[in-house]
Amino acid sequence: MSNSAKLSTHGDDYDYPVLSGSVGPDVIDIRKLYAQTGQFTFDPGFTSTASCESAITYIDGDEGVLLHRGYPIGQLAEHSSFMETSYLLLNGELPDKDQLGDFTRTITRHTMLHEQLATFYRGFRRDAHPMAIMCGVVGALSAFYHDSTDIADPVHRRISSHRLIAKMPTIAAMAYKYSVGQPFVYPDNSLSYTGNFLRMTFGVPAEKYEVNPVVERALDRIFILHADHEQNASTSTVRLAGSSGANPFACIAAGIACLWGPAHGGANEAALNMLHEIGTPDRIPHFIERAKDKNDPFRLMGFGHRVYKNYDPRATVMQQTVREVFAALKVSDPVFEVALQLEEMALNDPYFIEKKLFPNVDFYSGVILSAIGFPTTMFTALFALARTVGWVAQWNEMISDPAQKIGRPRQLYTGHTERNYVPLDKR
Ligand code: SDX
């Protein structure tokens, strides 16, 4: 196969190098295109654009494959832990026993927040959306950790990374506590990362909180499923913010803001709200028709994906986890039956088949999170909690890339050409 691509434009011919990765589509290196042709490429939404080189996560959307540093998501979900997967994403290799122990201890010892940050919560209304609080409090971390914001210093980058991974559960749990008017619960270093989060969220000072091991394992697996996902919108936001040299806390706050959107991480909250709106299986056909109606903005939330044109492997694990959690907790939820029947009907509908729309990671996650006791408003905050390690790993990779430059896209300008100012009395 040729390792160059030919372009003919304005009567001239150009050759551009074709670069190959270890797996996946080749890329046409067009970095010299504008200098040579005076023309830009045009790709709103970046449907055909590779923004960077990365070795962290690989997705094959047609085959429904998701690899983290080469390891399939199904194997990590079954055999790994969120701490181990976090180490893998950050360092590129699975840790040995000592490395995992050291990493876990480091993260555990950074879970506390500066006490003054607690006052930030009291500035919000009690009914503030937890994602609004997460955006504000995470951005404010840069006002507390001046000792580790020199992004050129790998030691600063490492401690900032650890602080962010460690403090997100505390920040998210505090957002929940504030919304229900209960006192904040401090971290307990004797618990696992996920067990500590459960206790900070659902524990109260008035009594001892016992972590349910089934719930702890299920939530830890859910965090693994959300940890990273190539160059999605929020990760691209973190990379773009980081490309200007902004501090890591500001970059992650930008990622949180982007994730909040219902087309992205906000879809888990929207999907469960949709399932409740559908209510009973007999109402499914009406909503499927709405989703197909071009004049109706309604979409099946938790369905479809820019990359996956096959089943999202994370949705498979998520559905299995619902069954395990329900069986273990001896609970059921009619909304799960609605979700299963909705999936069945959609996947047999020509519209969804033709457009290759399958359930994504957000379709079933809300069913489990709701069964564990989280309100729907906390779902995206949990997504942000888990995705922080991916954002941080991608940010570190970008900052360490010698080819890294500030991200500065161009445009196709369709506005007015130059014209002269008209004084007010002449308009
Ligand atoms: C996440 O990028 C990532 O990796 C994201 C993520 C991660 O881990 O970071 O995987 C997490 O964000 C998952 C996606 C969560 N969002 C939703 O579930 C919201 C519902 N889904 C859609 O809004 C949509 O599918 C997107 C936003 C996810 C993808 O949109 P695209 O790739 O821009 O596709 P599109 O909007 O161009 O849709 C293609 C066609 C369109 O029809 P036509 O205009 O071609 O006729 O499919 C239709 C769409 O109308 N379509 C849907 C649909 N999703 C797409 N129709 C009905 N219901 C849907 N859910």
Side-chain angles (χ1 to χ4, degrees):
M1 183 195 310
S2 159
N3 59 359
S4 74
K6 298 188 182 314
L7 174 68
S8 289
T9 180
H10 292 171
D12 292 318
D13 295 333
Y14 302 89
D15 277 311
Y16 293 99
V18 170
L19 311 178
S20 298
S22 41
V23 65
D26 289 343
V27 299
I28 301 172
D29 183 346
I30 55 161
R31 283 175 283 191
K32 294 191 170 64
L33 179 95
Y34 178 57
Q36 291 174 348
T37 70
Q39 294 170 284
F40 299 139
T41 58
F42 186 63
D43 187 15
F46 310 119
T47 53
S48 303
T49 294
S51 62
C52 64
E53 180 177 331
S54 179
I56 298 172
T57 291
Y58 173 71
I59 303 172
D60 181 330
D62 294 328
E63 298 301 317
V65 169
L66 168 56
L67 307 178
H68 289 317
R69 303 288 191 178
Y71 295 99
I73 189 65
Q75 292 182 28
L76 293 171
E78 186 177 353
H79 303 298
S80 187
S81 66
F82 183 66
M83 280 291 96
E84 184 179 76
T85 298
S86 295
Y87 182 99
L88 172 66
L89 288 169
L90 287 168
N91 299 291
E93 297 297 336
L94 288 169
D96 63 26
K97 199 167 174 346
D98 292 341
Q99 289 166 327
L100 181 58
D102 291 344
F103 178 74
T104 304
R105 266 186 299 282
T106 299
I107 297 298
T108 299
R109 295 184 63 80
H110 280 293
T111 50
M112 278 180 65
L113 272 193
H114 190 293
E115 193 64 12
Q116 276 180 237
L117 269 164
T119 58
F120 278 71
Y121 288 76
R122 293 186 176 81
F124 290 99
R125 285 170 47 134
R126 288 282 181 180
D127 61 354
H129 195 288
M131 287 297 278
I133 295 175
M134 300 280 281
C135 287
V137 173
V138 172
L141 288 175
S142 49
F144 288 80
Y145 295 110
H146 299 289
D147 65 333
S148 63
T149 53
D150 174 3
I151 61 168
D153 181 341
V155 174
H156 282 207
R157 292 205 301 271
R158 188 165 56 249
I159 189 167
S160 297
S161 303
H162 291 161
R163 279 173 165 152
L164 280 158
I165 294 163
K167 297 180 193 307
M168 285 296 274
T170 312
I171 292 168
M174 288 169 72
Y176 171 70
K177 283 307 198 190
Y178 185 70
S179 73
V180 294
Q182 290 183 354
F184 298 141
V185 174
Y186 287 111
D188 176 344
N189 290 355
S190 69
L191 298 174
S192 72
Y193 182 88
T194 302
N196 180 44
F197 173 63
L198 285 166
R199 180 178 169 277
M200 291 191 290
T201 302
F202 299 118
V204 290
E207 55 191 44
K208 185 168 170 44
Y209 178 82
E210 289 296 329
V211 176
N212 179 320
V214 172
V215 171
E216 181 181 28
R217 176 67 194 124
L219 191 57
D220 197 73
R221 184 187 300 169
I222 289 170
F223 288 165
I224 292 172
L225 295 177
H226 288 82
D228 190 54
H229 210 240
E230 203 212 60
Q231 304 311 318
N232 59 84
S234 54
T235 296
S236 299
T237 300
V238 170
R239 279 179 172 261
L240 196 56
S243 73
S244 74
N247 73 72
F249 306 103
C251 294
I252 300 306
I256 293 170
C258 177
L259 185 74
W260 194 0
H264 190 12
N268 54 17
E269 176 178 354
L272 194 73
N273 289 338
M274 174 192 73
L275 292 171
H276 282 300
E277 187 187 356
I278 294 172
T280 51
D282 61 300
R283 283 163 48 86
I284 291 173
H286 167 67
F287 284 86
I288 285 188
E289 289 315 306
R290 282 190 59 193
K292 293 155 60 173
D293 180 354
K294 277 277 154 262
N295 301 316
D296 187 332
F298 173 80
R299 287 193 163 182
L300 283 188
M301 301 315 283
F303 257 79
H305 199 277
R306 170 62 57 76
V307 177
Y308 288 122
K309 301 309 172 191
N310 196 322
Y311 213 95
D312 182 336
R314 300 169 297 175
T316 307
V317 178
M318 201 68 84
Q319 191 198 105
Q320 288 161 0
T321 306
V322 174
R323 296 181 190 283
E324 286 169 22
V325 169
F326 278 17
L329 299 184
K330 295 183 177 49
V331 297
S332 64
D333 184 342
V335 94
F336 183 44
E337 193 49 38
V338 172
L340 291 171
Q341 291 199 33
L342 173 56
E343 174 187 340
E344 171 75 17
M345 292 175 76
L347 296 190
N348 285 291
D349 183 292
Y351 173 92
F352 291 88
I353 294 169
E354 184 246 324
K355 293 183 187 298
K356 299 184 177 179
L357 302 173
F358 292 84
N360 58 49
V361 67
D362 294 311
F363 186 62
Y364 287 106
S365 56
V367 176
I368 309 175
L369 296 176
S370 180
I372 293 173
F374 293 103
T376 51
T377 51
M378 277 295 289
F379 292 176
T380 310
L382 296 178
F383 194 150
L385 184 167
R387 183 53 57 89
T388 293
V389 64
W391 287 331
V392 157
Q394 299 269 354
W395 172 78
N396 273 293
E397 183 181 65
M398 178 203 64
I399 297 289
S400 316
D401 180 351
Q404 185 261 328
K405 302 163 77 80
I406 187 168
R408 207 292 188 199
R410 301 302 301 274
Q411 63 181 12
L412 173 66
Y413 177 69
T414 54
H416 285 283
T417 53
E418 186 173 340
R419 53 182 174 164
N420 294 319
Y421 180 81
V422 178
L424 186 58
D425 58 3
K426 298 225 177 336
R427 288 176 211 161

